[in-house]
Amino acid sequence: MNGLSHIDYSQYMPESQQTTSVTTEAIVSRQAQEVQAAMVIAKKFPRDVYAAFERIKKACERRLLAENAVYEYPRGGSKVSGPSIRLAEALAQNWGNIDYGIMELEQKAGESSVMAYAWDLETNTRQTKIFTVKHERKARGKITKLDDPRDIYEMVANQGARRVRACILGVIPGDIVDAAVDMCQKTLISGHKEPLEDRLRNAMTLFKKEFGVTKEMIQQYIGSNLDAFTEQDFLKIGRIYTALRDGMAKKEDYFNTKATGATKSKAEEEFKKQKEKTGHDHKAGDPANADGSDADQGELLL
């Protein structure tokens, strides 16, 4: 036998380190208990589908929700529309037994790892989306780094709300969602007390104040003058406003912002030319600049 047979290997490998802290274990245990309790309650008190649908119908009759229920933005020569974040939240609240939200998994230098989820506790149907949010804001072609915790929180919440919307719509039956959208459209058409002209005028003011979108831009997008707008056109610009407000799209996706500046410059050039021409005509008609030939001709005629 060689000398290797006398080596003791019991202490050859280092002992494993317990890296999991007591606090982390407590948090995981508490969350697991909360989920188990929620699932037990959901099974004990299952949703009444008919009552839930009636609650959704009542919610869609509210004009304020109906105005913000659908977004719309152009993409690849066509228009994409769908239920907004506000409508998805209303559906989850009235459908019942659904847990949804966002959770920041990790925050490191310059970015956060976030998970959005929606969980039907009754049917155990779950939708999750994990994504990364960079701590920066892009505006007017410039990228600004975010270091204020409040700005970072708002950025994460804004980006997470879109994913939560997709998760909620993934666990609620599609026919319920489609019916809710249709009911919101009917509410918008029949639920206004103000005349269409007043609503359009208020909408133009709101677009100009919040997004810098002028009436001319909206008229060019719709393809007609403001006086010829219909109820469907009003619904269309309402979906545009919802998409801009929720950050689903930018105003450049809808409106030709460069064309407005070009039109203004062209109008200014025409005005300058007209002004120069008028000034030249006045100068030519000045008696002080008249030549002697006119005077001589006048004498001959006399």
Side-chain angles (χ1 to χ4, degrees):
M1 297 179 65
N2 53 26
L4 294 177
S5 60
H6 300 287
I7 297 177
D8 184 10
Y9 290 98
S10 60
Q11 304 295 329
Y12 184 74
M13 297 296 293
E15 296 182 358
S16 61
Q17 300 293 330
Q18 298 293 330
T19 58
T20 305
S21 65
V22 177
T23 305
T24 304
E25 291 180 352
I27 292 174
V28 172
S29 177
R30 186 184 65 184
Q31 289 180 344
Q33 291 175 1
E34 290 178 354
V35 169
Q36 290 175 0
M39 294 186 69
V40 169
I41 294 175
K43 291 290 186 180
K44 189 175 181 180
F45 301 99
R47 73 173 60 91
D48 185 345
V49 177
Y50 298 101
F53 186 67
E54 289 298 323
R55 290 195 298 267
I56 292 174
K57 288 173 62 177
K58 288 292 183 182
C60 293
E61 291 176 359
R62 299 200 302 266
R63 185 169 61 88
L64 203 57
L65 174 62
E67 289 178 348
N68 301 284
V70 180
Y71 68 87
E72 179 180 294
Y73 62 91
R75 177 64 60 86
S78 60
K79 295 178 182 178
V80 178
S81 63
S84 67
I85 299 169
R86 300 293 170 263
L87 181 59
E89 291 175 345
L91 289 172
Q93 293 164 4
N94 291 283
W95 191 244
N97 286 340
I98 291 182
D99 181 24
Y100 63 92
I102 60 174
M103 184 181 300
E104 189 172 17
L105 304 176
E106 181 185 10
Q107 184 176 135
K108 52 186 179 182
E111 62 182 24
S112 296
S113 296
V114 187
M115 180 182 71
Y117 66 93
W119 191 353
D120 190 330
L121 300 172
E122 186 175 332
T123 62
N124 201 23
T125 303
R126 183 180 175 91
Q127 286 273 342
T128 59
K129 295 184 183 298
I130 299 177
F131 56 97
T132 302
V133 179
K134 293 185 177 181
H135 300 166
E136 59 187 26
R137 180 182 291 113
K138 185 177 182 181
R140 297 180 180 179
K142 296 182 180 179
I143 298 178
T144 304
K145 298 292 183 180
L146 302 179
D147 52 8
D148 188 353
R150 181 176 180 180
D151 293 337
I152 295 174
Y153 167 79
E154 291 177 351
M155 177 64 69
V156 171
N158 186 27
Q159 296 288 332
R162 307 178 196 175
R163 275 77 175 188
V164 170
R165 178 191 67 86
C167 292
I168 292 174
L169 298 179
V171 298
I172 295 180
D175 59 330
I176 302 295
V177 177
D178 294 339
V181 172
D182 292 338
M183 287 183 286
C184 288
Q185 299 294 331
K186 293 178 181 178
T187 301
L188 284 179
I189 294 175
S190 61
H192 288 288
K193 296 181 180 179
E194 303 87 355
L196 179 61
E197 293 77 9
D198 295 344
R199 285 180 276 142
L200 288 172
R201 183 166 55 251
N202 295 334
M204 297 301 112
T205 303
L206 204 60
F207 269 99
K208 179 67 175 178
K209 179 181 179 181
E210 297 191 9
F211 308 113
V213 176
T214 63
K215 181 179 72 174
E216 290 74 16
M217 294 180 186
I218 297 176
Q219 290 179 153
Q220 183 181 8
Y221 176 80
I222 298 297
S224 62
N225 293 328
L226 189 65
D227 298 336
F229 277 24
T230 63
E231 288 285 352
Q232 295 298 326
D233 295 329
F234 180 76
L235 296 181
K236 187 180 296 183
I237 64 176
R239 289 193 289 266
I240 295 173
Y241 174 81
T242 302
L244 294 178
R245 186 203 58 195
D246 292 346
M248 300 295 294
K250 302 178 181 179
K251 65 179 182 180
E252 290 80 6
D253 297 333
Y254 302 97
F255 311 109
N256 190 358
T257 56
K258 296 181 180 179
T260 304
T263 304
K264 184 177 179 182
S265 301
K266 186 176 180 180
E268 291 177 352
E269 292 178 359
E270 292 293 337
F271 178 75
K272 289 180 180 179
K273 290 180 181 180
Q274 188 68 22
K275 189 175 180 181
E276 292 175 357
K277 183 179 180 181
T278 305
H280 182 271
D281 293 341
H282 282 301
K283 187 175 180 181
D286 192 350
N289 296 327
D291 54 9
S293 60
D294 293 339
D296 295 341
Q297 186 177 3
E299 293 176 359
L300 292 174
L301 292 174
L302 289 173

